[in-house]
Amino acid sequence: MRSARLTFLGGAGIVTGSKFLLDLPGGGRILLDCGLFQGQRELRRRNWATFPVPPSSVSAVVLSHAHLDHCGYLPALVRQGFGGPILATPHTARLAAIVLNDSARLMADEAEHANAHGWSRHRPAVPLYDDKDVAATLNLFDPIEHEQPADVSEARLRLHRAGHILGSSWCELILPGGRTLVHTGDLGRPAHPLLNPPAPFAGADVLLVESTYGNRCHDDTHALWGLAMAINRTVHRGGSVLIPAFAVDRTEVIIYRIRELRHCGMIPDVPVYVDSPMGLAARDVYLEAIGSPELRPGLTRDALDPPWLRELRTKEESMSVNDPDRPSIIISASGMASGGRVLHHLRHLLPDPRMTVVVVGFAALGTRSRDLVDGATSLKIHGHYVPVRAEVVNLPGFSVHSDAGETIAWLRTADRAPEATYVVHGEPGAAVALRDRIGAELGWLAVVPRTDEHVLL
């Protein structure tokens, strides 16, 4: 029998664009995740490249979760001819609909703005895909529950709870001949305040493991204390706090944590705004999921929808907080400040030294949030440079990616060592650090693959 072959089309040495193509012995093709490249310009250009195999030859896509760097390329794949099933959990399917529709809208808005103001080098600027491509993509979703087996081409699939965001999964494929491949997607944390921990790892012949925080350890106490101190400092000097947050899960986590801080009297009762229609739509999916096996028992509606939370839905409501008449907290997307309403807030608030921007998650190289964390003195927004005079606070402990120690602990639950472990979805330093720990502490063969590299399974 021919060997299966795995190709690393994205997510190798970078934390974006996750795509892993599995060629099966009988000719079937399965794509594990289908993410959009984000961040540096040379990475974003890859989104426009012709897909390396005919998309019509891909039998199915298995989607780990609904973040853009894992699902955001799907409409482009469909536009090029993919028409097979997209297998994911029902919650992932619902959240992906929100994320992809918003992505298409932002692409259209950005192209329109670029053409109107002449700041793009493309004449004319066009979106990568549109709402019709998204509609066609959503028709292909074939939801399956966690632990429900399903046949995918020549393989047998089972999705297990990953605890990263609602609906997230680590994916187990039994290949022809009985060998097993596991793809973690993004692995969640035991300390996630809303979600139950990832399901234990039983082992595999081949493992793809994420390494976003492969060289770091999260400090939950420092993160919560740091947020409280940043809010108090800012309010004391008469400023407002802007929190760029991923619309799916991070917005919900930040609402939950701010509610904790207010309840304990650690921060003042200033207005708290959520300025993200996508974040509010995702929050509604979380609210409907209360009581499900994915969410922690005892979680109440009030934890995500407190009476003091103010929702900004229209553009006019959004613009009204750009020049706040009193200190406030604004939670807005996108988390990496790569698009969305947060850009308008940054443009207005960054020049004011009274203000604070709090980065609460991983920021990829080449994104505005990463530039702020790295000490940028100006940011380019919509063709204009904006001075950075506001305070910038980086609190990566709010991330819902497992850190290095948590990942190693999860791997230890395996009852057998993989023949090969491929360390993916991490910047080079993080991926190499996790590779070395896996080798030293577990004794497993671990490799950091290169983009477009092929390996036999």
Side-chain angles (χ1 to χ4, degrees):
M1 179 183 289
R2 276 193 330 174
S3 295
R5 187 176 78 164
L6 185 66
T7 306
F8 301 90
L9 300 179
I14 50 176
V15 187
T16 187
S18 283
K19 299 182 195 72
F20 310 104
L21 184 64
L22 179 63
D23 283 288
L24 297 169
R29 277 183 166 144
I30 299 173
L31 187 62
L32 302 174
D33 282 346
C34 190
L36 200 67
F37 287 105
Q38 300 169 286
Q40 295 170 306
R41 181 178 297 161
E42 56 268 29
L43 287 177
R44 300 197 308 271
R45 285 176 178 161
R46 294 189 197 177
N47 294 321
W48 294 89
T50 301
F51 199 71
V53 300
S56 59
S57 72
V58 177
S59 309
V61 174
V62 176
L63 188 61
S64 66
H65 66 288
H67 274 151
L68 203 61
D69 57 336
H70 292 259
C71 74
Y73 188 78
L74 279 169
L77 192 73
V78 170
R79 190 174 208 172
Q80 296 175 64
F82 172 72
I86 302 168
L87 292 105
T89 64
H91 284 138
T92 292
R94 287 196 62 189
L95 292 171
I98 296 168
V99 169
L100 295 177
N101 276 305
D102 186 76
S103 176
R105 181 187 59 78
L106 288 178
M107 288 178 180
D109 289 349
E110 186 171 277
E112 181 181 356
H113 193 279
N115 290 327
H117 298 276
W119 53 265
S120 173
R121 65 179 61 185
H122 302 288
R123 300 289 189 275
V126 294
L128 180 64
Y129 50 78
D130 59 25
D131 54 357
K132 293 180 182 177
D133 300 315
V134 172
T137 300
L138 298 180
N139 284 334
L140 300 177
F141 270 83
D142 185 5
I144 58 173
E145 298 283 357
H146 282 135
E147 308 303 332
Q148 174 188 331
D151 291 322
V152 187
S153 186
E154 307 156 45
R156 188 75 162 164
L157 170 69
R158 197 183 297 265
L159 301 178
H160 304 272
R161 189 182 68 244
H164 173 62
I165 67 172
L166 186 65
S168 62
S169 307
W170 60 267
C171 312
E172 179 185 28
L173 283 165
I174 302 176
L175 308 180
R179 290 170 60 77
T180 303
L181 180 147
V182 164
H183 169 226
T184 64
D186 284 353
L187 197 62
R189 303 189 57 207
H192 194 300
L194 308 179
L195 301 180
N196 283 316
F201 173 48
D205 295 296
V206 178
L207 171 66
L208 279 68
V209 60
E210 72 126 320
S211 58
T212 309
Y213 286 95
N215 56 353
R216 304 186 214 180
C217 176
H218 296 315
D219 186 338
D220 299 304
T221 302
H222 171 75
L224 196 60
W225 181 257
L227 179 60
M229 294 302 97
I231 291 170
N232 283 305
R233 283 195 307 272
T234 308
V235 171
H236 180 73
R237 61 178 178 250
S240 290
V241 176
L242 174 63
I243 306 176
F246 297 115
V248 179
D249 196 83
R250 197 62 44 80
T251 293
E252 291 74 22
V253 168
I254 295 301
I255 292 170
Y256 181 89
R257 292 304 194 191
I258 289 175
R259 176 179 174 269
E260 281 187 318
L261 294 175
R262 286 173 61 110
H263 181 73
C264 296
M266 293 180 65
I267 60 172
D269 293 343
V270 298
V272 181
Y273 301 99
V274 174
D275 186 22
S276 170
M278 182 170 67
L280 292 170
R283 193 272 311 263
D284 289 343
V285 178
Y286 274 66
L287 289 172
E288 292 171 17
I290 287 175
S292 77
E294 281 191 76
L295 292 178
R296 290 194 179 273
L299 187 69
T300 64
R301 184 180 183 89
D302 183 69
L304 301 179
D305 188 21
W308 40 260
L309 191 69
R310 305 187 185 186
E311 302 174 2
L312 306 181
R313 296 186 179 272
T314 68
K315 289 183 178 180
E316 292 73 22
E317 289 172 337
S318 174
M319 292 170 62
S320 71
V321 297
N322 278 335
D323 185 20
D325 57 4
R326 58 174 293 197
S328 60
I329 300 169
I330 306 164
I331 307 165
S332 187
S334 71
M336 295 193 195
S338 54
R341 291 184 177 184
V342 74
L343 296 185
H344 297 278
H345 299 312
L346 287 169
R347 189 171 176 179
H348 283 83
L349 301 182
L350 280 177
D352 190 335
R354 298 175 301 161
M355 309 299 176
T356 297
V357 178
V358 181
V359 179
V360 291
F362 184 83
L365 279 169
T367 62
R368 293 181 183 89
S369 287
R370 179 62 165 268
D371 290 343
L372 288 173
V373 168
D374 289 344
T377 57
S378 64
L379 284 188
K380 193 175 185 180
I381 301 174
H382 295 151
H384 299 274
Y385 278 98
V386 178
V388 177
R389 301 189 186 101
E391 180 184 359
V392 176
V393 176
N394 183 31
L395 297 174
F398 282 107
S399 175
V400 291
H401 287 267
S402 61
D403 66 19
E406 290 165 342
T407 300
I408 293 292
W410 183 79
L411 294 176
R412 286 188 189 279
T413 63
D415 57 13
R416 60 192 173 102
E419 295 174 11
T421 297
Y422 296 103
V423 182
V424 297
H425 201 69
E427 291 178 356
V432 168
L434 185 61
R435 177 201 67 189
D436 292 347
R437 282 194 66 174
I438 290 172
E441 298 181 31
L442 303 179
W444 299 358
L445 171 66
V447 176
V448 178
R450 299 182 301 274
T451 300
D452 296 327
E453 182 176 0
H454 308 290
V455 294
L456 299 178
L457 305 184

